[in-house]
Amino acid sequence: MTDLLNLRHTTAHPIFRVELDQAAFNHGFRKANGIADGWLWFKSDEGVPGEVALASGINSDGSPWFLAVEHAGVAAKLAVELSQAAVSPPAHFKGAFAFETQAELRSALSRAFHLARSLPTFPLAQYEAEIAGLGNTEVDRIVKERVGQGYFRRALLDYWGGCCPLTGIGDEALLRASHIVAWADCRSDDERLDVYNGLLLAAHWDAAFDRGLVSFEDNGRVLVKPTLSEAALALLAPERARPLPLDDGHRRQLAWHRERFGFIS
């Protein structure tokens, strides 16, 4: 790991403090939570789990802006997406990252917030709080599913950045929250609300996936049933689809989907 130098610049130079405060506030972490060893600590005022810490200074690679993340899942996901060597985080934080520009820091901070809001088990906790007063009647079951589907969709919009990863379509009206293991087939509410049991797909891809006409390999590439018509293939254009950036959680669920719809001989 890279050692950080001069991180106390956050307290020595008020302009850095102001910019870091503004960055945190504008990207979901609106509650200041103290200063330690040159890091400014923040948490969400929406109950989103995990603190973040921000710092400014100059280290051996010249990067003046730093973000540390407490949430282990967020830290792991950012490490993959940012493709950069980690820097030394403050105590009990799971990862820290360096940026050359404030714009890069703000982008990563926004991503950290949306990931923390989507990753297990925050959507489940929100869902359980809302349905706490419901019983087990058929009407209650319908309400529970509607509420759960709403939280699941919001989690997928956060996780996938509001875009279908296959097509790049970002019009929310054209996006569907696709369960990999269907709601009715899930073993628990934990699985039903798990962001890794879902894909955010454009409506035509969602329809094909839901019916088992397409699925995905562990490397994210599309699998297509030979029964698809030429018109359907022309609409989906699977040869132009981007490989899905999958996590191990997605891969476990997709194994079920491939078996369920006969993609495994």
Side-chain angles (χ1 to χ4, degrees):
M1 288 187 174
T2 303
D3 290 329
L4 297 180
L5 303 178
N6 300 324
L7 287 181
R8 295 187 186 277
H9 285 183
T10 51
T11 55
H13 296 286
I15 188 171
F16 291 158
R17 171 68 183 270
V18 169
E19 290 175 345
L20 293 173
D21 282 340
Q22 288 176 343
F25 185 89
N26 291 339
H27 295 288
F29 298 97
R30 296 180 175 178
K31 294 181 70 174
N33 205 32
I35 304 173
D37 297 326
W39 293 89
L40 304 178
W41 294 24
F42 301 90
K43 58 184 179 180
S44 165
D45 61 354
E46 298 179 20
V48 174
E51 290 181 294
V52 298
L54 303 179
S56 62
I58 303 297
N59 79 339
S60 58
D61 70 359
S63 300
W65 304 100
F66 301 91
L67 164 66
V69 178
E70 181 186 27
H71 192 299
V74 174
K77 187 68 176 172
L78 282 179
V80 172
E81 293 183 354
L82 295 174
S83 299
Q84 64 165 258
V87 298
S88 300
H92 86 260
F93 278 64
K94 303 304 181 182
F97 309 92
F99 306 94
E100 294 183 1
T101 68
Q102 188 180 156
E104 291 172 331
L105 169 71
R106 286 174 173 267
S107 177
L109 189 57
S110 175
R111 183 62 174 146
F113 176 76
H114 288 287
L115 285 172
R117 198 166 61 174
S118 67
L119 293 177
T121 55
F122 186 63
L124 176 64
Q126 291 180 300
Y127 167 72
E128 289 178 336
E130 185 161 341
I131 67 164
L134 297 178
N136 295 311
T137 68
E138 181 63 15
V139 171
D140 288 335
R141 185 194 65 78
I142 293 171
V143 172
K144 287 178 181 178
E145 182 169 350
R146 177 184 58 78
V147 171
Q149 294 282 10
Y151 281 116
F152 185 67
R153 175 178 173 82
R154 285 194 286 275
L156 288 181
L157 286 166
D158 277 329
Y159 182 88
W160 293 103
C163 291
C164 168
L166 293 172
T167 64
I169 290 173
D171 306 72
E172 282 197 25
L174 300 178
L175 298 175
R176 301 291 181 268
S178 301
H179 272 90
I180 300 173
V181 177
W183 180 277
D185 293 317
C186 288
R187 294 161 292 185
S188 65
D189 287 339
D190 192 355
E191 186 176 20
R192 292 184 180 100
L193 275 294
D194 188 347
V195 72
Y196 294 121
N197 186 35
L199 303 171
L200 186 68
L201 300 178
H204 56 312
W205 275 98
D206 167 68
F209 183 70
D210 184 61
R211 295 286 181 164
L213 298 173
V214 300
S215 192
F216 301 95
E217 299 181 74
D218 282 349
N219 62 9
R221 296 196 177 278
V222 179
L223 295 169
V224 177
K225 281 289 181 68
T227 53
L228 274 178
S229 68
E230 290 186 8
L233 286 171
L235 175 64
L236 293 170
E239 71 282 356
R240 296 203 300 270
R242 307 167 184 174
L244 292 177
L246 298 175
D247 186 273
D248 285 343
H250 295 120
R251 296 185 184 99
R252 286 191 292 272
Q253 304 298 71
L254 283 168
W256 178 94
H257 188 272
R258 292 193 299 265
E259 184 173 10
R260 167 70 175 79
F261 292 104
F263 286 95
I264 298 177
S265 57

